[in-house]
Amino acid sequence: MEFYTKDGKVLKDISGLIKELKSMSYNSFNHHVNQEKNDFANWIRDIIKEEKLANSISKSHSKKEILEILEIFQKRGCHVHETIIIGAGIAGITAAIYAARKRMDFLLISSDFGGQLNVMGDIENYPGFKHTDMLQMDKNLKEQLEYNNIKIQYENVEKIDKDKSFFKIKTNKSVHESKTLIIATGARARKLGIKGEDEFARKGLTYCAVCDGPLFSNQDVAIIGGGNAALEAADFMMRIAKKIYILNIKKELIANQVLMERITKRKVMVINNAETVEIYGEGMLTGLKYKHNNEIKDLKVQGIVVEIGRIPNSEVLKGFLKTDDSGHIKVDKHCKASKAGAFAAGDCTDLQEYQFVIAAGHGATALLEAAKYLQRR
């Protein structure tokens, strides 16, 4: 495809296109850009060989928008996306779906797919699903991404910076720039690091009582931990499990008084100074071993809930965005982070409710707020 200037010369560069667009009449512009085609996007793709820029132009239907995109490209020497979403767990995928449906120019960057979904078992508390599991949810999400023509760029983010106007994301493969940024890198459960832990994950061992607790109905369950999260798990499991053991590595529980009073001794047995050293079983877990007063003891259980804390995947953001003492990104109720144009969603934030449905809500909120921010620029 070729374009010609008013004096009959072949258009060869972005600066020439910008000049022609500025003087182009409304009727002439609409001849080139309408619901059926975008000649400027095709020209950029064919002549300039900038696929990202062409894709962005193809989503724009006003001269003002196209001029802004081209002028930024000319000034920066690269294409600047409207937003970049980092993380492809539930929060990041939700943000990407909303971005695609708003026809935004965005990238979805992640080192993996699914996030915490990859360590979950059965899922029975997600609206619209009476029962599903990791494999089915994984399949559904991938089909939804394909339906919305969303592609994940599998890259590891190494550094994030921002100048006065734009974010710069350096990965192991490239450098990307954007006007807004959505961090949805999630969190990972803090593991025990003992024999049998990885072997029996999702085979009786879980890191989420609310997610998987109902699977242990009328069974004996061990909860490993001694803080609020562990006692909250015990409180939840009291209506489900036959017997609950809390194995606390410290001398006493460290939790708020209300939770401690709520845990009844009739159903919950607290074992302090108990260091879990091994998890065992045949196919499914059948018990654990723990060290108590320098003696190795055995405990037969059918379920284990590990609640010794979560680690937010926010290491790359250290010093860039404000975090709490544990590394969770500080956000307000609109998912806004400490820098203008930066948003965070899901388990990496200090909202700290580790549920798929909440992460999805955060992802939608972050994207909608990012879109509002762009409109106000």
Side-chain angles (χ1 to χ4, degrees):
M1 172 176 285
E2 290 186 340
F3 279 120
Y4 293 90
T5 63
K6 290 180 179 178
D7 56 6
K9 294 181 180 179
V10 177
L11 202 60
K12 294 182 179 180
D13 54 34
I14 295 295
S15 60
L17 179 58
I18 291 172
K19 183 178 179 181
E20 290 300 310
L21 270 172
K22 285 181 176 179
S23 61
M24 188 174 288
S25 69
Y26 178 82
N27 289 337
S28 181
F29 177 83
N30 286 340
H31 171 73
H32 292 292
V33 178
N34 51 56
Q35 293 297 325
E36 297 179 355
K37 65 176 182 177
N38 189 316
D39 290 338
F40 302 121
N42 293 333
W43 178 82
I44 290 169
R45 187 174 287 112
D46 294 342
I47 306 301
I48 307 300
K49 308 297 184 184
E50 286 285 347
E51 186 66 26
K52 290 180 181 179
L53 180 61
N55 289 338
S56 180
I57 295 293
S58 69
K59 296 177 181 179
S60 303
H61 293 92
S62 77
K63 185 164 74 169
K64 181 181 178 182
E65 286 180 359
I66 292 176
L67 275 171
E68 180 185 2
I69 293 169
L70 292 173
E71 286 172 343
I72 290 174
F73 179 86
Q74 185 182 39
K75 182 178 180 180
R76 305 285 294 190
C78 65
H79 176 57
V80 177
H81 299 276
E82 288 184 298
T83 194
I84 289 178
I85 302 162
I86 301 176
I90 294 292
I93 288 171
T94 303
I97 291 169
Y98 272 69
R101 293 180 65 82
K102 290 178 74 68
R103 290 183 59 82
M104 291 178 67
D105 171 25
F106 72 98
L107 283 183
L108 176 58
I109 300 173
S110 184
S111 58
D112 64 1
F113 178 85
Q116 281 293 298
L117 184 66
N118 295 317
V119 295
M120 291 295 105
D122 288 359
I123 300 168
E124 296 181 337
N125 60 352
Y126 197 91
F129 295 90
K130 182 172 66 176
H131 174 272
T132 188
D133 57 25
M134 175 189 73
L135 295 176
Q136 186 60 50
M137 183 70 91
D138 182 279
K139 179 176 179 289
N140 291 350
L141 290 171
K142 287 178 178 176
E143 288 177 351
Q144 194 167 14
L145 290 180
E146 184 178 357
Y147 177 80
N148 287 283
N149 197 30
I150 299 170
K151 295 180 180 179
I152 301 172
Q153 293 199 200
Y154 288 102
E155 302 177 19
N156 295 318
V157 175
E158 297 177 345
K159 189 176 181 180
I160 300 175
D161 284 318
K162 187 188 180 188
D163 57 22
K164 290 183 179 180
S165 302
F166 305 117
F167 294 92
K168 180 179 287 187
I169 294 88
K170 183 182 182 297
T171 74
N172 61 322
K173 295 181 180 180
S174 186
V175 176
H176 311 281
E177 295 196 19
S178 64
K179 299 174 185 176
T180 62
L181 177 67
I182 297 175
I183 304 295
T185 48
R188 58 195 185 275
R190 193 182 299 277
K191 292 190 173 184
L192 296 163
I194 61 174
K195 182 180 179 180
E197 182 174 18
D198 291 337
E199 181 183 353
F200 293 102
R202 301 195 300 274
K203 296 178 181 178
L205 183 148
T206 181
Y207 300 91
C208 179
V210 175
C211 306
D212 298 327
L215 300 175
F216 307 130
S217 177
N218 204 34
Q219 295 180 355
D220 293 341
V221 175
I223 296 172
I224 301 174
N228 284 333
L231 266 66
E232 285 170 358
D235 184 44
F236 178 81
M237 293 300 299
M238 281 174 60
R239 298 184 296 276
I240 299 169
K242 179 181 178 182
K243 177 72 177 179
I244 298 169
Y245 302 89
I246 296 178
L247 275 65
N248 177 29
I249 197 171
K250 297 183 178 180
K251 293 181 180 180
E252 57 184 23
L253 297 174
I254 303 175
N256 67 57
Q257 193 63 34
V258 174
L259 270 174
M260 292 175 67
E261 290 173 359
R262 199 181 297 164
I263 303 302
T264 61
K265 294 182 180 179
R266 178 178 58 84
K267 201 169 189 179
V268 179
M269 179 178 179
V270 178
I271 307 173
N272 292 317
N273 292 316
E275 179 186 357
T276 307
V277 295
E278 182 182 346
I279 296 166
Y280 62 85
E282 294 182 6
M284 300 294 289
L285 77 80
T286 56
L288 60 82
K289 294 181 181 180
Y290 66 95
K291 186 177 181 180
H292 182 67
N293 295 332
N294 294 319
E295 182 182 350
I296 300 297
K297 297 188 176 182
D298 188 88
L299 181 64
K300 300 291 185 183
V301 291
Q302 294 78 52
I304 296 175
V305 181
V306 179
E307 282 290 1
I308 57 173
R310 302 244 175 178
I311 305 171
N313 300 319
S314 61
E315 289 86 351
V316 73
L317 295 158
K318 187 176 181 180
F320 181 71
L321 294 177
K322 290 182 179 179
T323 62
D324 65 14
D325 292 340
S326 299
H328 295 93
I329 302 167
K330 290 186 175 183
V331 294
D332 64 11
K333 64 181 181 180
H334 302 291
C335 292
K336 295 178 182 177
S338 56
K339 287 189 185 296
F343 303 83
D347 293 357
C348 64
T349 72
D350 64 346
L351 298 177
Q352 290 188 42
E353 291 290 347
Y354 303 113
Q355 298 295 312
F356 286 148
V357 68
I358 293 175
H362 286 175
T365 299
L367 189 282
L368 293 173
E369 291 297 327
K372 290 177 185 177
Y373 175 85
L374 290 169
Q375 290 173 355
R376 293 192 296 264
R377 276 173 63 98

